[in-house]
Amino acid sequence: MTLQRIAVLGLGRIGGLAVDLLVEAGFDVVAIDQEPSVTNEAVTVRQLDLGDVTVLDEALEGVDGVLSCLPFRLNSGVAAAAHRRGIHYFDLTEDVPTTASIIELSTTATSLMAPQCGLAPGFVGIVGSHLVASLDSCRAVKLRVGALPQHPDGLLGYAFNWSPAGVVNEYLNDCEVIEDGERKMVSSLEWLETVYVGGTKLEAFTTSGGLGTMCETFHGRVANVDYKTLRYPGHAALMNFFFHELLMRQRRTEAEDILTTAKPPVSDDVVHVHVSAQGMKDGEPQRLEFVRSYLPRDIAGERRTAIAWTTAGSVVAVIEMVRDGVLPDQGFLKQEEIPFDAFSATRTGSLFL
């Protein structure tokens, strides 16, 4: 199924960058937002209120696929519209119920339904699966990711360069893990541990959604699978106080406003990725690691934050692979089924090396 003309919905930092990366990768792009700010002359720009579900079919007219960079609450509606039109669907969501609804749609889809194509879930699942496959047997795979300010201040040591709604969602929803062979749900902001990346001391704790569908895929094959978010030390205790002792978990929208006002985005961020797999190789115990710290970089003539280019870059690399016939063009795409080497060989995926 052809994938050449693609609509990008939502043109914030990540959506706007995805537009530029798709153009560089040779796609025809239609950029759509309520207040579009795209200046790339190679792009068709349309102004639509994408919060109105009645306009979604209009937004997807004449395209082969759609990338939703909208708030996760809107993605189920976009996926349903893509399903009706029989076009490919991609998004960046970490929201578990949203993904469940898309999995259901995929059972009758004539096109590819590919949510969770961002950084986590997304890229780290591709890396984690690659490490598991490099072992003869694997007993544990651990995924750790943090998008942080390079120069933190205050007790939280944080800046909301990612969607505030998404962060609050990750901090409050339960997390799926595999522990000693048992697939289970655990609370967010728990299982605290210390992790070092390049000599920087960080803490890691459970958050929702980062594993995508990995627990389903590796249940019965890997005894321990979990995902944790990386933050500077002390962050988890303060977030537990804020959400649970102050009862802000019951007022999510207000919590988003408070946190974003207190800790607005910064331009000098860093994305730490720490993925490891432990098991046996050639009869010997092995621990394999993929550890990187990604910084802002210049792309398409502009300085891009680390969280923006790693997130947009991951999904665009997947879209390239679908276009080029490396990945299936129908059904549901699990991130952990994407070959790491093929991902890295794409124009956009090479940014991660």
Side-chain angles (χ1 to χ4, degrees), residues 109-350:
T110 58
S111 58
L112 186 68
M113 308 300 287
Q116 304 183 321
C117 293
L119 178 63
F123 174 68
V124 292
I126 299 170
V127 173
S129 182
H130 174 70
L131 297 186
V132 171
S134 301
L135 296 168
D136 295 331
S137 63
C138 183
R139 69 173 182 85
V141 59
K142 301 179 178 181
L143 280 62
R144 311 287 186 259
V145 178
L148 297 166
Q150 292 183 47
H151 316 291
D153 63 358
L155 296 178
L156 273 182
Y158 193 61
F160 278 83
N161 278 36
W162 180 246
S163 157
V167 174
V168 170
N169 200 43
E170 293 171 358
Y171 281 12
L172 292 181
N173 292 350
D174 287 343
C175 321
E176 188 175 21
V177 302
I178 301 175
E179 184 180 29
D180 295 332
E182 181 183 351
R183 193 174 167 187
K184 62 174 67 172
M185 302 300 292
V186 300
S187 297
S188 291
L189 291 166
E190 301 291 348
W191 289 19
L192 195 67
E193 67 176 343
T194 298
V195 175
Y196 287 87
V197 177
T200 299
K201 183 178 181 180
L202 303 166
E203 66 181 22
F205 49 85
T206 52
T207 53
S208 174
L211 286 177
T213 54
M214 289 185 71
C215 288
E216 175 187 345
T217 298
F218 289 114
H219 188 219
R221 294 170 51 194
V222 180
N224 298 278
V225 180
D226 63 68
Y227 172 85
K228 296 182 182 179
T229 287
L230 296 171
R231 296 289 185 258
Y232 293 113
H235 184 96
L238 290 168
M239 286 291 91
N240 269 307
F241 172 77
F242 179 72
F243 283 118
H244 300 295
E245 290 197 35
L246 297 185
L247 303 181
M248 293 305 297
R249 67 180 183 274
Q250 299 172 3
R251 298 145 64 187
R252 291 195 181 199
T253 301
E254 188 176 348
E256 294 165 20
D257 292 340
I258 290 172
L259 292 171
T260 308
T261 300
K263 295 294 177 181
V266 296
S267 56
D268 290 330
D269 66 333
V270 57
V271 168
H272 295 301
V273 174
H274 190 298
V275 181
S276 65
Q278 300 177 43
M280 301 293 291
K281 179 73 172 179
D282 299 327
E284 298 289 337
Q286 292 282 326
R287 174 184 168 90
L288 305 178
E289 293 183 330
F290 180 98
V291 182
R292 300 286 190 279
S293 294
Y294 296 115
L295 297 173
R297 64 191 304 162
D298 293 327
I299 298 175
E302 292 184 35
R303 192 70 168 169
R304 315 289 185 155
T305 62
I307 186 59
W309 78 254
T310 53
T311 303
S314 182
V315 68
V316 171
V318 172
I319 294 170
E320 287 184 63
M321 296 170 74
V322 176
R323 177 196 60 189
D324 296 340
V326 178
L327 295 176
D329 64 359
Q330 186 174 349
F332 182 79
L333 179 66
K334 291 183 175 182
Q335 298 299 305
E336 60 272 18
E337 294 175 345
I338 297 172
F340 175 75
D341 290 341
F343 176 97
S344 303
T346 64
R347 178 189 177 96
T348 311
S350 66

Side-chain angles (χ1 to χ4, degrees), residues 7-10 66-71 74-75 78 89-93:
V8 177
L9 310 186
V66 56
L67 165 58
S68 176
C69 298
L70 298 168
L74 300 178
N75 283 337
V78 178
Y89 172 83
F90 306 88
D91 75 27
L92 309 168
T93 191

